[in-house]
Amino acid sequence: MSRVILVVDDSPTMRGMVSHALTEAGFETKEAENGKDALIKLTMMEVGGTKPDVIVTDVNMPEMDGIELVREIRKLSAFKHVPVLVLTTDNTDEKKEIGRAAGATGWLVKPFDSELILKVIRKVLL
Amino acid sequence: MAMVVATATQESGQQQEIGAEGNQFLTFCLGDELYGIDILRVKEIKGYTAITKIPNMPSHIKGVLNLRGTIVPIIELRTKFGMATIDYTAFTVIIVVVVRDRIMGLVVDSVSDVVNIDKRDIHLPPEFGEKVDVSFLNGIGNSGGKLIALLEMERLLSDGDLQDTAAAVAA
Amino acid sequence: MNGDYSKFLQTFFEEVTEHLSVLESGLLTLEQNPNDVEVLNRIFRSVHTIKGAGPMFGFTTMSRFAHKVETLLDPLRNRKFSATRQIIDLLLESADCLNMLVEAAKNGTVIDENKTVLDLEARLETCMTVTAPAPGQKPALYPSSMAPAVPAPVTSTHQTYQISWKPGEDLFQRGLNPLKLFEEMGRLGTVTSCVLATSRLPDLADLNPEHCYLSWTYTLETDYPREDIESVFEFTAPPDGLTITALSSSSPAAQPPQEPDPEPARSVVDEEDDPRLAEVFFGQMSDSLGAILVEQKAVTPAQLAMALDHQETLRAKSKEKKVEASMRVDTEKVDKLVNLVGELAITQSMLSALGGHFEIKHLPILQERLLQLERNTQEIQERVMGIRMLPIGTAFNRFPRLVRDLSAKVGKNIQLLISGEETELDRSVIESIGDPLTHLLRNACDHGLESPEERVAAGKPAQCTIRLNAFHEGGKICITVEDDGRGLNRDKILAKAIEQRIITGNDTLSDDQVWALIFRPGFSTAEKLTDLSGRGVGMDVVKRNIEELSGIVTIKTVTGRGTIFTLKLPLTLAIIEGMTIRVGEDTYIVPLLSILESIRPKADMVKTLIGKGEVINVRGACYPIVRLYEVFNLQPEHKNPAEAILVILETEGERVGVMVDEILGQQQVVIKSIEENFRKVDGVAGATILGDGTVGLILDVRGLVKLARQEQSIAV
């Protein structure tokens, strides 16, 4: 049974590329366009009795941004402990701290290559 | 069209690559004569159906046909080769071919077999001088004793009548 | 990214194009409301996305420039300062520059950076001087090994490290599993000792199982550099205390865990210095591959030549096609379609069932099901057409900017009012409508509208108004460009036409015919050529463009008050309303848009005029008669106009009466291309598949009239 990763990004290009990198490595992926959409998808997964093994999310998105999404995820009992990776273009400690404080497991700085994202994913997979 | 076949030994110096065609041909009849088209070019064979005339076209262009939603021009080969036209029979078919991304149909008397002709059995068409234009012949093939005129589709269907759209628009 | 991501290139460009459009329209909105935070956020996000995705494809300049723009947008959206006109102008220029960079990226051309890009970057930076000082060199909290690393030289010294880690209580709540980190650490070398500290563990009653109270101290012998160990714990930082101390190789002395001392800032590979300047190239069969294939006798040289040739034509063809090969569609539209297709399938199986054991008593049911089928297919047809429909607003997008720039250039005060942006029409029409509309607007700004002084002198408001409107009417889409300028000058036009020998001084023309003159090639009454228009190459191209879309353009004007251009277009290029007519045994389809009326003439209505040939007199106006059977070499049923039917058609401001045997009916026809497999045919606009499966030809009215003239060689 393969692991499922939820990819959240409002840019279809980024979603597509991240998904591609992950599926090539044998993961199954689900996609969402922004925080709100992601929460809906998570709720559906919960109802269906599954949950993602990792969530990868962009920060800057309309409707609900990545940081808020992490906070919301941490409030849901079913997904409290799911590792969440935040994709950011900012390499500053400030941003990392904000992510960490919201409850993110880790982060990836754009641009990254598939090797890197796979390495990080493997690291945080519980 | 009378044909004289030169032997291989006489033409040894002139044996060149005969087109990029493979060696399977669909053969068909016009009157007593057998012609062949590279099987790779043939898309399908249709029974003859109603063709819509296009105004002010040369006589060998019969019109167009609906092929599952695509508009395909139909060429009367007898007329193209300067032969007399005959009434269509139950055997009259349209051979649908693909030439340079265009789909076209050729009206022929009847289709015959698909034959394999080895390259060694294909000879260059003889020169008849200006009287007969054989530029659209790829060669004369010999299959089981029968002579088959192998057609060079791109030459046959691209001189004048089927100009590039661009050229026609620019005109 | 390694691996083949070139297929995402197209999605990337589509996305970026949309974002650029959002950026421009957002900036224009911002001009009116400089404090609209929502717009600022939207613009920021768009630029941010371009900045982020660019490097994934190796577009470093684009990304770097976007970053500079973003740096200016950030304080704006955080209300650090307000957007002045100057700032917006700068941003608009930057948007143009981004546009240029994207285009260059698309076409693979190299830009001369020195000129535009660097200049704008400098100006953007200067604009930034009001904001907070640049982030100082604070000691890094986090080990910064996350950026795409240039492979660091591996120092292969054997070392022993003591690693003390005291994670924050929220470690588990962030989804981190310490065991995995230790495993990873262990892979770096040999763990020689491990000490667990439980000092923070509370009593069982007070223990929260979701908190982490433990800390660990490891000793690790490794050949790997310190950075690698740090990278294991990269997501941890104060309050996750991490200390890594190098021990002398032989003393694995355990030391009490200390407070972490901040590591000095590590150099991070700046994303702007990305050394991977990946060139994007599309898969091609290079000659070398071909040579290999030939060598291995997989193909003959001739086959190879043919294949390369074919590839060349395909490449040429795909370059020609400006229309995008993919498109984005509203998912809702697709969902509705999926439902409809489902319904269709049901109807089909019901019909199948009926056909299985059909008895005549089932006839009413059959009829009902067939009606249902008709409804299903009609609805599907509409919906599918709808998929290709977009609101015309997307074509109107660039006009506010255009008019703004133009009005500055010509020194007039012009406002553009747009309405009907939500009117939907076919994608391909939208793509083609931009140019003609642009020209009409340019014309209006340049010639049609007066300077403020002139207007005030004439008692008009100093500000000029252009109204751009779109609406559906009678199954067509109407677009009007209306200005409140000078209007067309009948005498000037006539004079020019006489001068260009288009008409003679003796001709009497109706107003409509006079206005139609401006559509003649080379015609212009402009006194001087400006570089906007006036060269006289515009209006005829506009007319031709519209007619190529199966539409018509008409003019109404009042001298001194203004002019209104009306474009009427079919909703989609692919479908038109047609009238089926018969000449002898042949049927043709005439586009309804061109038909004014059809009449069965009385003998006295038909006359022959010297110098004009056969004409038909319709309520005083005389129109030339075109005998379709002569032009197309057909066998008609009637050769006497009084026994036939005349269909009065309009094209290019002139009217003709086309003679046919019978009018069969009216129907919607789907236009199919004849040129795809054949060639363009004079007098024929396209073909369609009729109900009986045969091909019907659609008349090209303009071409037909031209042919007729050639046949009859009479000046009309």
Side-chain angles (χ1 to χ4, degrees):
Chain A
M1 200 185 69
S2 52
R3 314 281 213 134
V4 178
I5 304 187
L6 176 64
V7 180
V8 189
D9 195 318
D10 64 323
S11 156
T13 316
M14 287 301 300
R15 274 205 312 271
M17 296 204 293
V18 173
S19 267
H20 182 91
L22 298 175
T23 45
E24 289 281 294
F27 294 102
E28 200 190 300
T29 58
K30 294 212 186 298
E31 296 181 16
E33 288 182 0
N34 54 57
K36 213 156 116 183
D37 191 26
L39 287 175
I40 296 175
K41 295 260 164 36
L42 284 171
T43 313
M44 280 167 38
M45 287 179 93
E46 197 184 341
V47 167
T50 58
K51 66 178 178 190
D53 294 281
V54 181
I55 300 174
V56 178
T57 174
D58 188 23
V59 172
N60 268 285
M61 301 182 290
E63 299 269 7
M64 187 192 289
D65 68 37
I67 301 297
E68 222 191 301
L69 172 62
V70 178
R71 281 195 208 111
E72 291 296 316
I73 292 176
R74 293 294 177 230
K75 286 189 200 159
L76 302 169
S77 54
F79 304 103
K80 253 203 296 202
H81 305 301
V82 174
V84 181
L85 290 176
V86 172
L87 299 174
T88 165
T89 51
D90 227 310
N91 206 2
T92 61
D93 286 333
E94 241 177 85
K95 285 280 150 68
K96 289 175 182 171
E97 204 24 59
I98 295 177
R100 203 205 74 94
T105 314
W107 45 82
L108 265 168
V109 180
K110 291 193 240 183
F112 49 82
D113 61 24
S114 46
E115 221 179 276
L116 197 58
I117 186 172
L118 285 169
K119 177 173 149 231
V120 174
I121 296 241
R122 289 197 183 106
K123 184 208 295 255
V124 301
L125 268 177
L126 293 170
Chain B
M1 201 164 67
M3 286 182 274
V4 171
V5 178
T7 60
T9 48
Q10 283 173 316
E11 289 182 315
S12 59
Q14 293 165 318
Q15 277 290 4
Q16 57 191 71
E17 276 312 325
I18 303 198
E21 330 269 86
N23 34 22
Q24 263 198 327
F25 300 91
L26 170 70
T27 55
F28 62 89
C29 299
L30 292 179
D32 294 330
E33 292 166 359
L34 271 180
Y35 294 81
I37 301 179
D38 182 0
I39 198 73
L40 294 175
R41 296 242 185 232
V42 178
K43 199 172 183 311
E44 67 185 271
I45 300 171
K46 252 180 88 82
Y48 185 86
T49 52
I51 295 179
T52 303
K53 279 192 332 228
I54 304 241
N56 301 325
M57 287 290 124
S59 48
H60 62 270
I61 299 185
K62 282 204 69 76
V64 289
L65 184 57
N66 164 24
L67 188 68
R68 290 183 300 281
T70 313
I71 311 289
V72 173
I74 306 296
I75 297 173
E76 171 77 73
L77 270 189
R78 273 182 170 260
T79 319
K80 176 84 187 171
F81 291 155
M83 297 160 81
T85 53
I86 56 168
D87 287 334
Y88 294 141
T89 72
F91 297 109
T92 310
V93 290
I94 297 177
I95 303 178
V96 182
V97 294
V98 180
V99 182
R100 276 189 204 180
D101 302 330
R102 290 186 203 262
I103 305 176
M104 303 179 209
L106 310 170
V107 181
V108 302
D109 290 356
S110 61
V111 286
S112 192
D113 297 314
V114 174
V115 296
N116 278 304
I117 308 184
D118 199 75
K119 259 206 234 141
R120 290 165 297 173
D121 292 325
I122 303 178
H123 309 287
L124 289 177
E127 300 288 319
F128 285 122
E130 309 91 49
K131 276 195 94 180
V132 183
D133 176 14
V134 292
S135 55
F136 49 79
L137 278 188
N138 225 342
I140 312 282
N142 189 330
S143 172
K146 292 191 267 187
L147 292 179
I148 306 172
L150 303 173
L151 297 176
E152 161 53 72
M153 297 310 297
E154 288 190 8
R155 288 301 296 280
L156 185 69
L157 298 173
S158 71
D159 44 5
D161 24 90
L162 300 163
Q163 312 152 17
D164 274 322
T165 325
V169 168
Chain C
M1 301 267 264
N2 21 331
D4 176 23
Y5 290 93
S6 53
K7 63 176 173 243
F8 288 107
L9 207 59
Q10 188 180 23
T11 354
F12 170 71
F13 282 123
E14 273 174 28
E15 230 192 287
V16 168
T17 311
E18 254 185 65
H19 281 299
L20 286 172
S21 161
V22 167
L23 175 61
E24 187 177 89
S25 57
L27 286 171
L28 288 173
T29 316
L30 211 57
E31 242 187 317
Q32 313 298 326
N33 319 311
N35 292 315
D36 191 339
V37 173
E38 210 223 289
V39 174
L40 281 162
N41 271 318
R42 216 180 321 141
I43 304 178
F44 178 85
R45 269 200 304 271
S46 288
V47 176
H48 181 83
T49 309
I50 300 178
K51 172 191 105 168
M56 310 279 304
F57 298 96
F59 299 135
T60 35
T61 316
M62 189 199 297
S63 175
R64 189 190 77 218
F65 185 76
H67 182 67
K68 290 266 162 22
V69 179
E70 190 193 53
T71 330
L72 178 57
L73 285 172
D74 204 19
L76 274 175
R77 73 171 177 155
N78 291 325
R79 317 277 211 100
K80 294 266 166 62
F81 52 86
S82 209
T84 62
R85 169 121 191 170
Q86 196 197 18
I87 291 182
I88 294 191
D89 278 340
L90 177 59
L91 286 170
L92 279 170
E93 265 188 73
S94 306
D96 285 340
C97 183
L98 257 178
N99 231 319
M100 179 189 73
L101 287 168
V102 170
E103 280 305 305
K106 246 191 220 170
N107 301 326
T109 51
V110 179
I111 311 259
D112 181 4
E113 278 199 28
N114 288 326
K115 296 210 182 109
T116 12
V117 176
L118 294 177
D119 174 61
L120 270 172
E121 282 184 354
R123 283 160 64 196
L124 282 164
E125 276 190 45
T126 335
C127 204
M128 283 287 302
T129 50
V130 284
T131 65
Q137 294 304 311
K138 289 190 286 217
L141 294 173
Y142 293 85
S144 42
S145 51
M146 278 314 302
V150 175
V154 178
T155 48
S156 51
T157 44
H158 192 82
Q159 254 286 38
T160 307
Y161 292 95
Q162 180 177 288
I163 303 158
S164 290
W165 186 38
K166 182 174 150 197
E169 280 183 4
D170 67 346
L171 185 74
F172 301 142
Q173 288 165 331
R174 286 170 50 210
L176 273 170
N177 180 357
L179 285 178
K180 295 227 67 191
L181 299 183
F182 297 149
E183 264 171 36
E184 202 185 323
M185 187 186 72
R187 280 194 284 269
L188 291 174
T190 328
V191 173
T192 50
S193 79
C194 169
V195 176
L196 175 70
T198 53
S199 50
R200 288 186 292 156
L201 264 180
D203 292 333
L204 195 58
D206 301 321
L207 183 100
N208 183 338
E210 294 191 342
H211 284 195
C212 176
Y213 302 103
L214 307 172
S215 34
W216 297 264
T217 308
Y218 279 90
T219 18
L220 177 75
E221 277 178 30
T222 176
D223 289 328
Y224 287 87
R226 180 193 223 107
E227 293 90 58
D228 288 5
I229 305 180
E230 279 175 4
S231 111
V232 172
F233 296 95
E234 63 193 325
F235 296 138
T236 71
D240 298 11
L242 176 71
T243 333
I244 304 180
T245 343
L247 305 175
S248 61
S249 357
S250 51
S251 58
Q255 292 172 8
Q258 304 162 326
E259 283 313 296
D261 54 301
E263 291 287 315
R266 200 148 301 274
S267 69
V268 177
V269 174
D270 205 289
E271 58 188 58
E272 292 167 11
D273 289 342
D274 192 349
R276 298 166 299 162
L277 273 172
E279 248 188 76
V280 179
F281 55 89
F282 300 87
Q284 21 182 327
M285 190 166 85
S286 63
D287 282 343
S288 49
L289 173 61
I292 294 173
L293 285 173
V294 170
E295 201 191 297
Q296 295 186 345
K297 306 233 190 282
V299 301
T300 65
Q303 279 174 321
L304 175 63
M306 195 163 82
L308 281 172
D309 212 334
H310 185 79
Q311 189 186 53
E312 202 35 71
T313 14
L314 280 180
R315 210 177 285 144
K317 253 194 191 171
S318 64
K319 276 201 190 132
E320 270 175 46
K321 293 202 175 118
K322 268 172 41 174
V323 182
E324 284 160 10
S326 73
M327 59 175 164
R328 297 171 64 148
V329 179
D330 208 338
T331 35
E332 202 190 304
K333 285 185 176 175
V334 178
D335 289 339
K336 290 218 177 96
L337 200 61
V338 170
N339 287 340
L340 280 173
V341 173
E343 282 175 41
L344 183 68
I346 295 174
T347 309
Q348 183 263 323
S349 45
M350 287 201 289
L351 281 169
S352 269
L354 209 53
H357 321 277
F358 190 70
E359 293 167 41
I360 200 64
K361 65 180 181 185
H362 294 151
L363 191 59
I365 307 181
L366 176 65
Q367 286 170 322
E368 191 203 302
R369 302 267 162 95
L370 286 173
L371 201 59
Q372 176 69 20
L373 182 65
E374 196 184 323
R375 278 195 293 262
N376 284 147
T377 35
Q378 253 176 9
E379 215 188 324
I380 288 184
Q381 186 185 28
E382 277 171 26
R383 296 262 174 207
V384 169
M385 285 303 140
I387 280 188
R388 286 187 56 92
M389 308 262 262
L390 279 179
I392 200 175
T394 60
F396 287 174
N397 260 346
R398 48 173 148 143
F399 294 144
R401 178 78 194 274
L402 176 73
V403 172
R404 179 188 181 276
D405 290 345
L406 281 176
S407 60
K409 224 171 182 176
V410 297
K412 300 173 188 167
N413 183 352
I414 308 176
Q415 71 159 342
L416 176 67
L417 299 176
I418 299 185
S419 52
E421 306 100 304
E422 61 294 338
T423 315
E424 285 197 340
L425 68 167
D426 187 282
R427 244 163 250 264
S428 37
V429 179
I430 286 191
E431 275 156 23
S432 313
I433 204 74
D435 284 345
L437 283 177
T438 305
H439 192 85
L440 288 177
L441 285 173
R442 287 208 144 127
N443 238 19
C445 290
D446 207 25
H447 303 299
L449 294 169
E450 317 96 322
S451 68
E453 300 82 43
E454 267 182 81
R455 289 177 70 89
V456 169
K460 288 170 148 177
Q463 184 182 58
C464 312
T465 305
I466 301 182
R467 271 174 229 278
L468 181 59
N469 190 16
F471 53 94
H472 287 300
E473 189 183 78
K476 302 184 205 43
I477 182 162
C478 295
I479 306 172
T480 57
V481 182
E482 181 181 355
D483 67 66
D484 64 353
R486 337 189 141 92
L488 295 177
N489 186 321
R490 188 193 159 103
D491 294 326
K492 251 195 185 166
I493 294 177
L494 276 176
K496 191 74 178 201
I498 293 176
E499 182 192 313
Q500 293 193 343
R501 296 183 198 282
I502 299 175
I503 54 173
T504 70
N506 298 327
D507 289 322
T508 42
L509 289 109
S510 68
D511 278 351
D512 282 340
Q513 285 172 316
V514 175
W515 312 142
L517 287 171
I518 70 170
F519 289 120
R520 298 276 183 150
F523 191 97
S524 170
T525 57
E527 264 125 32
K528 50 181 198 280
L529 299 179
T530 66
D531 72 353
L532 290 188
S533 47
R535 262 179 249 278
V537 292
M539 293 309 282
D540 69 316
V541 176
V542 169
K543 179 118 189 177
R544 199 168 345 124
N545 283 352
I546 303 296
E547 285 181 351
E548 270 167 19
L549 297 172
S550 307
I552 53 177
V553 49
T554 51
I555 313 175
K556 276 207 169 10
T557 184
V558 178
T559 316
R561 296 266 286 277
T563 315
I564 167 168
F565 287 88
T566 309
L567 310 179
K568 275 211 181 114
L569 298 164
L571 279 179
T572 88
L573 288 182
I575 292 192
I576 56 159
E577 284 285 344
M579 186 141 92
T580 326
I581 53 111
R582 178 180 66 82
V583 176
E585 289 185 357
D586 302 295
T587 49
Y588 292 92
I589 294 158
V590 185
L592 214 58
L593 216 57
S594 318
I595 301 181
L596 290 173
E597 59 182 302
S598 318
I599 52 179
R600 172 156 265 137
K602 300 204 195 57
D604 60 1
M605 289 163 79
V606 182
K607 302 190 193 320
T608 308
L609 299 182
I610 302 174
K612 267 193 165 20
E614 266 187 316
V615 294
I616 170 106
N617 182 336
V618 182
R619 298 181 296 275
C622 286
Y623 309 131
I625 294 180
V626 171
R627 290 176 182 250
L628 189 56
Y629 68 88
E630 272 180 13
V631 181
F632 280 176
N633 283 309
L634 311 166
Q635 297 300 318
E637 199 183 314
H638 303 289
K639 293 204 175 168
N640 180 354
E643 287 164 14
I645 296 184
L646 287 184
V647 181
I648 313 291
L649 301 174
E650 176 165 44
T651 174
E652 289 187 324
E654 57 178 301
R655 299 176 184 182
V656 297
V658 175
M659 197 166 123
V660 305
D661 285 329
E662 190 186 347
I663 294 180
L664 297 174
Q666 188 177 321
Q667 60 179 131
Q668 254 191 359
V669 295
V670 177
I671 305 182
K672 296 250 172 211
S673 157
I674 288 197
E675 283 138 46
E676 194 184 319
N677 287 316
F678 189 38
R679 54 173 269 195
K680 184 165 173 6
V681 178
D682 288 333
V684 174
T688 184
I689 314 284
L690 300 170
D692 62 358
T694 57
V695 176
L697 297 179
I698 303 169
L699 294 185
D700 165 25
V701 183
R702 186 163 141 255
L704 183 66
V705 172
K706 225 166 98 174
L707 268 181
R709 252 186 242 143
Q710 283 165 16
E711 288 266 331
Q712 296 158 19
S713 42
I714 292 172
V716 169

